[in-house]
Amino acid sequence: MNTALRSSSSTGLAGREACGRRQARLARVSRVGPCRPVATLAAPPPAPSQSTKPAAAPAASKLELTELTAVSPLDGRYGRLSAPLRNIFSEYGLIRFRILVECRWLQQLSKIPAVKEVPPFSASANALLDRLCTPEGCTPEVALRVKQIEKTTNHDVKAVEYVLKDEFKGHPELAQVLEFTHFACTSEDINNLSHALMLKEAVHLHVLPTMDKLISELSRLAAEFASVPMLSRTHGQTASPTTMGKELAVFAYRLKRQRDQVAAVPYLGKMAGAVGNYNAHMSAYPEVDWQAVAQEFVPSLGLEFNPYVTQIEPHDYIAELYSAIIRYNNILIDFDRDIWGYISLGYFKQRTIAGEVGSSTMPHKVNPIDFENSEGNLGMANAMMDHLGNLGMANAMMDHLGNLGMANAMMDHLGNLGMANAMMDHLGNLGMANAMMDHLGNLGMANAMMDHLGNLGMANAMMDHLGNLGMANAMMDHLVNKLPISRWQRDLTDSTVLRNLGMGIDIARLASDLDNSWEVLAEPIQTVMRRYGVPEPYEKLKAFTRGQRVTQESMMSFVDGIEGLPQPAKEHLKRLTPANYIGNAVQQAAELKHHL
């Protein structure tokens, strides 16, 4: 995910090299006549001379990560450009944000009067927690300790908790509240906030500034060449004249609109426990309004509180963000192709630099490789963002197949029906095909292939294509891409698509499931144990429940045997059942009208 998240910021990553050069080159546009404005285009410095003597390839196990050995070009060829993002989107970056969220949550608990076991922290304790929230306090060495512990836990968030507990043991005040680290949290409470913080930092510090720089440069050139006339071309043929400045202004305006939509996306977060109902929180401190606590905590991180969630924050805002960036990138692809065409026509020319090679066999060539690289890299970024935005589109990575420009992803064949309506989107100029963008239309894109994630799939598929035959093709396209895919020997997603008869709720089955799932009470029990300072509550419940058959009788016996837990707390826990351990779910459902 981290690689996808890094690639998804292509406007400032894989495409940034070409964008930066493109800005520099366009900045040197000079007028040479009323019909042919010319840009002198810079090129990268010549590569140092290389020895022709072959060297033995080192053993794979000895290869260190460098720009020569990196699997991804983001860390290799474009490593110097993506380096600022390593502090955000790397594994270290994710651990850093997880530690920040855990520390801030512990500080939040200390501010709740009813949580007497975590009294308000002293300046010394807060200073230690604050430092851990910074790159200076959460160093790569700290993250490495997390990875070492993860080798044992095989759980990344739990490893963070253990490292923090080790850190806190050295402070007498924090050592008294060790078990309130990660209190009442599910891993997704920590992860969703971490991911939101990562995205917000990357977008505001890197993506938006890069977008703004390009828009500013295009705006400057549009003004400079506002009155330089040139022939238009429609359908590839000469048409009524325009000016170079006006054509550049079109791109500046389009990019600015999408940039503003990227900037307007809110970053949402939740802190609502394992199923979004604050079940564990309320089991330990029923007198606390935990939703109000979360509503205060999430915005304190600079995020927007999402009141209606499950275990996960639904990621809709990420889909909105990536969709806006995809639209920005598609406009850049359109720009790359236009400039490529103007270079081919001779409206722009590229400066030759001594020592630089344009072709390995044709000495005269000076190729527009930066615009071509930009187009290719933007397409790759769009494919991964399309996958993340649509949550479940593995075929989105098939978006770009290199120089042939043909994506085989949409080889439509409906089995025995012999339907080979291939939606082979070829975007021209031997570039690339955004495999899921079935119909480009006048705007140059359509968010096609909103494939199937549950019952919304059919409706999303019907939004695939708004052209003349688009509606029929969209439904067939959904079936083509859904029906061949079934987990292992078979799953029931095909039944949902083929029958679409709706679904009822079997109340009796719900009750049976609850009565057979007493292990779910491990969460409130270990949470209450934390409140009363019982050592290693999580570990005790893990040993009791993991891989074991848990019944009402065995769970009640376990509660009775907890040493150090007050009897009233035991009685409270013994009154819990899977059916009444529902947190504030009833209240949330009743209050929905206030949020709509």
Side-chain angles (χ1 to χ4, degrees), residues 409-423 476-477 479-484:
M410 309 316 299
M411 297 291 289
D412 288 347
H413 189 287
L414 257 182
N416 293 332
L417 295 179
M419 189 71 183
N421 273 340
M423 298 203 174
M476 287 190 291
D477 202 50
L479 292 172
V480 167
N481 287 283
K482 169 65 210 85
L483 294 178

XYZ file of all heavy atoms in Angstrom, residues 409-423 476-477 479-484:
168
model
N -6.065 -5.048 -20.856
C -6.919 -5.291 -19.691
C -8.376 -5.478 -20.057
O -9.106 -6.126 -19.327
C -6.771 -4.157 -18.691
N -8.845 -4.862 -21.152
C -10.266 -4.870 -21.429
C -10.627 -5.807 -22.582
O -11.442 -5.502 -23.410
C -10.745 -3.457 -21.735
C -10.331 -2.431 -20.707
S -10.556 -3.007 -19.043
C -12.302 -3.285 -19.048
N -9.985 -6.976 -22.644
C -10.298 -7.949 -23.686
C -11.656 -8.563 -23.368
O -11.761 -9.603 -22.721
C -9.208 -9.017 -23.745
C -7.842 -8.473 -24.125
S -7.752 -7.926 -25.816
C -7.797 -9.484 -26.659
N -12.716 -7.882 -23.806
C -14.069 -8.296 -23.447
C -14.449 -9.598 -24.167
O -14.477 -9.662 -25.381
C -15.086 -7.222 -23.826
C -14.992 -6.024 -22.930
O -14.330 -6.140 -21.892
O -15.571 -4.984 -23.275
N -14.724 -10.619 -23.367
C -15.245 -11.854 -23.936
C -16.191 -12.464 -22.931
O -15.796 -12.776 -21.833
C -14.108 -12.819 -24.265
C -14.583 -14.003 -25.051
N -15.327 -15.012 -24.497
C -14.435 -14.307 -26.351
C -15.612 -15.906 -25.424
N -15.086 -15.501 -26.556
N -17.442 -12.619 -23.288
C -18.424 -13.143 -22.352
C -18.562 -14.651 -22.506
O -19.649 -15.179 -22.711
C -19.775 -12.474 -22.582
C -20.169 -11.405 -21.580
C -21.541 -10.876 -21.918
C -20.141 -11.929 -20.177
N -17.457 -15.389 -22.418
C -17.509 -16.852 -22.391
C -18.213 -17.416 -23.603
O -17.874 -17.130 -24.748
N -19.241 -18.241 -23.347
C -19.936 -18.964 -24.406
C -20.687 -18.053 -25.356
O -21.090 -18.462 -26.425
C -20.914 -19.973 -23.789
C -20.176 -21.072 -23.063
O -19.052 -21.401 -23.409
N -20.805 -21.635 -22.029
N -20.924 -16.832 -24.946
C -21.629 -15.904 -25.826
C -20.735 -15.410 -26.944
O -21.184 -14.781 -27.886
C -22.149 -14.717 -25.021
C -23.206 -15.046 -23.976
C -23.610 -13.786 -23.238
C -24.425 -15.686 -24.628
N -19.405 -15.662 -26.783
C -18.475 -15.276 -27.833
C -18.379 -13.776 -28.020
O -18.155 -13.294 -29.129
N -18.559 -13.057 -26.919
C -18.610 -11.599 -27.001
C -17.212 -11.038 -26.882
O -16.675 -10.950 -25.800
C -19.488 -11.072 -25.864
C -19.778 -9.597 -25.979
S -20.894 -9.312 -27.316
C -20.955 -7.538 -27.265
N -16.601 -10.673 -27.993
C -15.233 -10.160 -27.943
C -15.218 -8.671 -28.217
O -14.424 -8.163 -29.001
C -14.364 -10.898 -28.951
N -16.143 -7.959 -27.574
C -16.150 -6.489 -27.713
C -15.009 -5.925 -26.903
O -15.160 -5.569 -25.750
C -17.478 -5.908 -27.208
C -18.530 -5.895 -28.280
O -18.198 -5.956 -29.446
N -19.787 -5.828 -27.881
N -13.843 -5.915 -27.447
C -12.678 -5.450 -26.685
C -12.734 -3.940 -26.538
O -12.905 -3.216 -27.500
C -11.410 -5.862 -27.415
N -12.650 -3.498 -25.301
C -12.564 -2.060 -25.062
C -11.101 -1.681 -25.019
O -10.563 -1.342 -23.972
C -13.279 -1.695 -23.769
C -14.727 -2.033 -23.840
S -15.693 -1.089 -22.701
C -17.288 -1.653 -23.216
N -22.151 -5.176 -19.785
C -21.447 -6.386 -20.225
C -20.017 -6.382 -19.725
O -19.469 -7.425 -19.363
C -21.487 -6.476 -21.754
C -22.856 -6.853 -22.307
S -22.816 -7.220 -24.068
C -22.477 -5.598 -24.741
N -19.409 -5.201 -19.700
C -18.030 -5.091 -19.238
C -17.924 -5.508 -17.780
O -16.967 -6.174 -17.364
C -17.563 -3.642 -19.414
C -16.069 -3.520 -19.473
O -15.447 -4.256 -20.250
O -15.517 -2.697 -18.741
N -19.910 -7.624 -16.218
C -20.059 -9.079 -16.155
C -18.802 -9.783 -16.649
O -18.368 -10.783 -16.071
C -21.270 -9.510 -16.993
C -22.632 -9.070 -16.454
C -23.718 -9.394 -17.473
C -22.930 -9.747 -15.128
N -18.214 -9.252 -17.705
C -17.008 -9.864 -18.258
C -15.888 -9.897 -17.233
O -15.178 -10.887 -17.086
C -16.549 -9.085 -19.510
C -15.144 -9.496 -19.922
C -17.515 -9.330 -20.655
N -15.719 -8.801 -16.505
C -14.618 -8.713 -15.570
C -14.932 -9.312 -14.216
O -14.028 -9.628 -13.453
C -14.206 -7.242 -15.394
C -13.477 -6.719 -16.608
O -12.304 -6.996 -16.819
N -14.190 -5.984 -17.443
N -16.228 -9.484 -13.904
C -16.602 -10.051 -12.616
C -16.741 -11.569 -12.669
O -16.218 -12.286 -11.816
C -17.922 -9.417 -12.132
C -18.551 -10.118 -10.941
C -17.672 -10.003 -9.705
C -17.830 -11.193 -8.797
N -16.975 -12.329 -9.157
N -17.472 -12.076 -13.670
C -17.837 -13.490 -13.660
C -16.651 -14.447 -13.714
O -16.703 -15.514 -13.102
C -18.811 -13.780 -14.810
C -20.183 -13.102 -14.671
C -21.052 -13.412 -15.878
C -20.875 -13.556 -13.391
N -15.545 -14.121 -14.408
C -14.411 -15.070 -14.390
C -13.663 -15.112 -13.063
O -12.784 -15.948 -12.883
C -13.489 -14.525 -15.497
C -14.341 -13.630 -16.320
C -15.326 -13.048 -15.378
